[in-house]
Amino acid sequence: MGVVPDAQAWLNPATLTQATAIQRAIAARVEMVDRFPAAPSLAGADTSMRWRDSRGPIHAAIAPLAGAAATATIVPPFPYVPGYLGFREAPALLAAWARLAEKPDLLIVDGQGRAHPRRCGIASHIGVLLDWPTIGVAKSLLCGQVEGVLGEAAGATAPLVDRGELIGLALRSRARAKPIFVSIGHRVSLESALALIRSVGEGRRQPLPIRRAHDAANAARRAWEAAGATSA
DNA sequence: GCGACAG
DNA sequence: ATCTTGTCGC
């Protein structure tokens, strides 16, 4: 995998206390400056699972803007716990990444990046483990508050602040829609993250790469269920 | 102690 | 995260 020596250990904490320590270590490695080619190629990352089935398999997809998506199915190590989503979903997403022939220059992940209590959302997990540029785009807030008033017009932004620190941006990606929350995953500045997300908005609430990944993950899950499989 | 809580 | 149907609006 990436340049992290104990990447495998960082994916499998034995306890929540250990998971917390790993997140602090990952957060310390996050680079908040641009380190990717100009006009980067983009891909989206998302997962799909059965309704309220916290133990069943997770289907992950990485969807490039151009070309076919890669998918993978993994049984998650533990159920969803707010603040620890990275440990639940990153293994499946990394498996899908490994199957992707042409790696994109930058990955847009469905979930938070730095906009996390320990500055280590799933986009940072994946970015640091792969040492690859990532952006987090979430549909709702995990922590922090939107500063001031978010404009009504499409494209309006407002700072997202937590404990006095700027951790991301609220973005009105579409008029009359609830905002999305953009934050640094790894190797990108918040300014560039915003510009890139805006560039693939396509007039929808969620950026196109995430929509494509969402569709691909759902298709993988349907195929899995249609095949009657029970385990990964 | 109470409430809040990505996917 | 996901299920389901209808309804409203451009």
Side-chain angles (χ1 to χ4, degrees), chain A residues 50 59 218-230:
Chain A
R50 272 175 126 156
H59 310 272
N218 268 331
R221 179 171 65 89
R222 283 185 188 172
W224 179 277
E225 289 168 357
T230 319

Side-chain angles (χ1 to χ4, degrees), chain A residues 85-143:
Chain A
L85 181 68
F87 295 104
R88 172 172 166 78
E89 296 192 350
L93 287 165
L94 294 181
W97 175 267
R99 289 181 169 181
L100 194 61
E102 306 266 329
K103 314 298 190 200
D105 294 322
L106 188 147
L107 192 58
I108 301 170
V109 181
D110 187 47
Q112 315 287 2
R114 278 193 82 219
H116 177 281
R118 291 169 294 282
R119 311 296 181 251
C120 187
I122 185 167
S124 295
H125 275 250
I126 291 172
V128 168
L129 288 179
L130 293 175
D131 193 27
W132 211 267
T134 60
I135 296 170
V137 176
K139 300 178 292 300
S140 63
L141 226 42
L142 176 61
C143 70

Side-chain angles (χ1 to χ4, degrees), chain A residues 165-223:
Chain A
E165 185 181 352
L166 177 68
I167 59 173
L169 295 169
L171 169 63
R172 182 94 61 194
S173 49
R174 189 183 179 179
R176 292 180 303 307
K178 301 205 67 64
I180 59 176
F181 302 93
V182 179
S183 61
I184 291 169
H186 185 48
R187 285 221 248 157
V188 67
S189 66
L190 187 54
E191 295 70 29
S192 295
L194 173 63
L196 288 166
I197 295 306
R198 276 175 164 160
S199 76
V200 287
E202 303 283 326
R204 307 287 237 124
R205 182 176 179 236
Q206 294 185 277
L208 179 58
I210 287 194
R211 293 206 315 272
R212 292 208 56 216
H214 194 274
D215 291 345
N218 268 331
R221 179 171 65 89
R222 283 185 188 172

